[in-house]
Amino acid sequence: MNPAELTQNVLAAPAVEVSVWALFWQASFVVKLVMLGLLGASIWSWAIIVDKIVAFNRTRRSMDRFEKVFWSGQSLEDLYRSLNSHANEGLAAVFVAAMREWKRSHEAGRVSFQGITDRIGKVIDVTISRELERLEARLIFLATVGSAGPFIGLFGTVWGIMSSFQAIAASKNTSLVVVAPAISEALMATAMGLAAAIPAVLAYNKLSTDAAKLGSRMDGFADEFAAILSRQIDDRS
Amino acid sequence: MRIGLTTSAIGHALLLAWGLWQLPGAQPFDVETIDALPVDLVPIGDVTKIAEGTKTAPKNDNASQGKVHNPVPRPDSQRVGATEADQDAPITEKAGKTAAAKEAEPPPPPPKAPEKPPEPKPAEKPPAPDAAPPEKAPEKPPEAAPPKADTGEIAAKPPEKPVEKPPEEQPKPVPPAPAKPLTKPKPPAPTETAEAKPDTPAKKDSKTTAPSKADAPKDSKSEKFDPNQLAALLNKVDPSGGGGKSSDKAASLGSEKATGPVANMTQSELDALTAAVTQCFNPPVGAASIDQIVVPLRVEFTIDGDLARPPVVKSVPAGPAGQAVADAAVRAVQRCAPYPFLPKDKFDTWQVVNMNFTPPSSY
């Protein structure tokens, strides 16, 4: 293909390809990087969203199950023995932690019942906060993507437009046919940023609210259980 | 975490694939072809066809070279209003004029001779008539002879004339006076607006005309048949205004001048005049709320801006202070006179000013 022919071809059909893939492929290096980064952020945030939804549902179900067993009148000792063997989460974790502390203090034969109550309360608090931490893990990534995604996309757009203007200046041709594709591809970066950020923001709001609800549910159970243990202590003293 | 990651990755892959296949690219805009519109460029010179002029070309009577002839106002169309008070201009006989004009040239000599004898009065007058110009002779005859109804004013004048002339003629003039004296004086001096003026050339004319009437006592309505006067005889129209019809409308405010419609003073000149008068205004002592009063004044000026006569209060405003304020306004106008700032070239417009003087509200 000789140069003259090439020039003719370019002149005949100047950047006709405007599909998404073509836009991405024509973009400059920085814009490509931004777009890829945004794509990765989008994939990761959606992974978190799916994972969290699944995890919250599972936690909610296990809490329901545990509460049903707990209030069924079954002996707490038996329940403790059945749960102690494997890892627990949610209310079961709180119950197991409190029971373990109770058993240790009680079986050691210590007389200070006031100290037992304090210790059990502390253990319950620690367990709840650990559980909450586990529930809310990675949610912060969603918040970050939601707030920073548009800016990152905008950066890609600005960079793309900047470089396209430089290209226009170099080509000494300002016809819209020449200018439009470059600007269009630059704008795609902002579109991707928004596409990543919008679901992240929505999901963050929903998931953090759900986590707070689960946390308060655990708090309520902890108070009730602490009351039961304290009654037991008073009875035995 | 693995579940979420796989789900997300698969979802994105699907989305991208869908985007690639389903959103291949923007559809190009439909650009409708526009029919070409033929446009011819035509030099303006082809249309206007203006040719360059040469200094040596012969003069041609075209519009650009024609001289402007200002139309001379017809003498009797000077007053706007139709009311009697407006009719400053004289009422003349159409017939008299036309007939007179015709008579003046060829026929006058023959008819005059025979006519003179029949009437005794004319005969006596001849001494004076000699001096009278021949041109006027024709005009007068129609007027003198016909004894028609007179107005009071008219009657008054004729007596004066004879008095000045020969005393003997006094009795005679009285009868002829009833004829249309109005018409006589006016034709010669159509622009005269001042009948009141006692000794003006106009009167002299009238005097001279009086004797001339005697010379030619012909009447448009007289019985004598003169073929040369045929036109005059045929014209049975009574004397009427000779010029354009005077308007049927009452004179509008401020149009007291002889020519032109309403006074054309610009607002700034009126303002200046009002301001000057206002400065000289001293409110009457003890008059309360005089700023509600409007004093209509009629002020006549001379061309140098001085007062031609004392200003006239057209109607004394109502209220207890009305007369006092009106007098104060008159004093103000007089005290401030003259008003040199009034433009002389517009004298026509401010010769008579009808101003509504309002005392300054600051008092």
Side-chain angles (χ1 to χ4, degrees):
Chain A
M1 189 176 268
N2 60 14
E5 204 176 328
L6 190 68
T7 314
Q8 257 189 347
N9 280 347
V10 170
L11 284 181
V16 178
E17 272 196 291
V18 285
S19 69
V20 176
W21 185 251
L23 285 182
F24 170 76
W25 209 242
Q26 290 163 2
S28 69
F29 172 70
V30 175
V31 180
K32 264 184 204 162
L33 210 62
V34 167
M35 286 198 223
L36 285 177
L38 284 171
L39 185 66
S42 178
I43 290 174
W44 185 240
S45 60
W46 272 104
I48 292 171
I49 291 166
V50 171
D51 189 60
K52 283 300 166 190
I53 287 174
V54 171
F56 283 10
N57 279 338
R58 198 181 57 220
T59 307
R60 208 173 290 122
R61 270 201 309 274
S62 75
M63 279 180 178
D64 291 346
R65 235 183 300 120
F66 175 80
E67 277 195 323
K68 204 195 277 176
V69 173
F70 182 80
W71 297 111
S72 67
Q74 189 185 356
S75 157
L76 294 184
E77 296 286 343
D78 292 346
L79 187 58
Y80 172 69
R81 232 173 282 127
S82 69
L83 291 175
N84 197 19
S85 55
H86 53 83
N88 292 294
E89 60 177 11
L91 297 185
V94 175
F95 170 74
V96 168
M99 280 300 285
R100 186 181 297 133
E101 181 57 36
W102 157 264
K103 277 183 132 15
R104 274 185 201 155
S105 305
H106 194 255
E107 285 162 2
R110 300 218 174 83
V111 209
S112 168
F113 295 110
Q114 183 62 38
I116 290 179
T117 312
D118 278 353
R119 278 197 294 279
I120 289 176
K122 285 224 162 48
V123 167
I124 285 175
D125 283 348
V126 168
T127 311
I128 286 178
S129 68
R130 198 179 296 134
E131 284 295 308
L132 271 184
E133 196 179 336
R134 190 179 57 80
L135 285 175
E136 290 177 344
R138 301 204 187 91
L139 277 188
I140 198 67
F141 182 80
L142 292 183
T144 307
V145 169
S147 60
F151 290 122
I152 298 171
L154 196 60
F155 167 71
T157 295
V158 169
W159 191 274
I161 287 183
M162 230 168 64
S163 55
S164 70
F165 273 126
Q166 286 165 355
I168 289 166
S171 68
K172 296 185 173 60
N173 186 348
T174 56
S175 87
L176 206 55
V177 179
V178 174
V179 176
I183 293 178
S184 173
E185 95 186 13
L187 286 174
M188 210 176 88
T190 299
M192 290 189 67
L194 292 175
I198 291 170
V201 170
L202 294 178
Y204 175 75
N205 287 337
K206 161 111 177 79
L207 293 178
S208 59
T209 311
D210 284 353
K213 274 183 194 163
L214 292 176
S216 68
R217 192 169 171 182
M218 281 188 287
D219 277 340
F221 172 77
D223 286 347
E224 274 178 322
F225 188 55
I228 289 170
L229 285 183
S230 142
R231 205 183 311 128
Q232 290 283 331
I233 291 166
D234 286 351
D235 289 347
R236 300 197 181 188
S237 62
Chain B
M1 198 65 227
R2 215 175 23 197
I3 301 172
L5 195 56
T6 5
T7 313
S8 172
I10 292 172
H12 278 82
L14 286 177
L15 193 68
L16 278 180
W18 177 78
L20 286 182
W21 295 114
Q22 213 60 27
L23 302 174
Q27 297 294 322
F29 293 120
D30 288 337
V31 182
E32 298 202 2
T33 55
I34 302 171
D35 292 341
L37 189 68
V39 175
D40 289 341
L41 294 182
V42 182
I44 189 74
D46 291 355
V47 179
T48 56
K49 292 194 170 59
I50 295 177
E52 193 181 359
T54 64
K55 289 181 179 176
T56 56
K59 250 191 185 177
N60 209 354
D61 247 1
N62 56 27
S64 66
Q65 289 171 341
K67 289 184 179 174
V68 173
H69 296 288
N70 286 327
V72 178
R74 282 173 293 184
D76 293 336
S77 60
Q78 296 170 346
R79 275 310 172 115
V80 174
T83 61
E84 265 195 35
D86 291 337
Q87 290 294 349
D88 216 7
I91 299 174
T92 56
E93 291 178 359
K94 245 189 215 169
K97 260 197 172 179
T98 54
K102 287 176 184 176
E103 294 166 10
E105 295 126 6
K112 285 176 184 175
E115 286 168 345
K116 292 174 185 176
E119 291 188 5
K121 296 168 186 177
E124 298 173 0
K125 292 176 181 177
D130 302 342
E135 314 137 5
K136 292 178 181 178
E139 298 171 355
K140 297 153 190 174
E143 308 154 358
K148 293 180 181 177
D150 298 354
T151 61
E153 313 163 1
I154 300 166
K157 287 178 183 178
E160 296 180 68
K161 302 164 188 176
V163 175
E164 295 170 354
K165 287 179 177 180
E168 314 135 8
E169 294 178 4
Q170 286 181 356
K172 302 170 186 174
V174 180
K180 304 170 184 176
L182 274 182
T183 57
K184 302 171 190 176
K186 288 157 190 177
T191 52
E192 295 176 10
T193 56
E195 285 189 343
K197 296 176 186 176
D199 293 333
T200 55
K203 272 207 171 174
K204 288 177 184 176
D205 292 344
S206 64
K207 295 170 188 174
T208 54
T209 56
S212 64
K213 294 171 192 173
D215 300 342
K218 297 179 205 167
D219 238 3
S220 59
K221 297 184 179 179
S222 69
E223 308 78 19
K224 287 195 179 181
F225 177 75
D226 182 350
N228 293 317
Q229 285 184 319
L230 201 55
L233 291 173
L234 284 177
N235 192 342
K236 298 296 185 187
V237 180
D238 279 349
S240 66
K245 250 177 111 180
S246 60
S247 112
D248 293 337
K249 300 173 185 173
S252 56
L253 287 178
S255 63
E256 296 204 20
K257 285 181 330 67
T259 62
V262 182
N264 285 328
M265 285 187 88
T266 61
Q267 196 58 41
S268 59
E269 290 155 7
L270 270 182
D271 286 345
L273 184 62
T274 308
V277 172
T278 304
Q279 278 189 338
C280 297
F281 180 78
N282 277 333
V285 178
S289 72
I290 60 170
D291 51 347
Q292 302 293 332
I293 296 177
V294 174
V295 184
L297 289 176
R298 184 182 192 277
V299 189
E300 290 180 40
F301 292 99
T302 61
I303 194 161
D304 53 359
D306 207 346
L307 296 180
R309 64 194 63 194
V312 178
V313 179
K314 291 202 289 188
S315 72
V316 176
Q323 185 61 52
V325 173
D327 292 345
V330 170
R331 281 197 300 276
V333 173
Q334 284 174 320
R335 184 189 305 169
C336 279
Y339 303 92
F341 52 82
L342 292 172
K344 286 189 171 49
D345 53 347
K346 286 190 183 176
F347 176 62
D348 272 357
T349 63
W350 51 266
Q351 185 178 6
V352 177
V353 173
N354 289 305
M355 60 186 300
N356 287 328
F357 180 76
T358 307
S361 56
S362 57
Y363 289 110

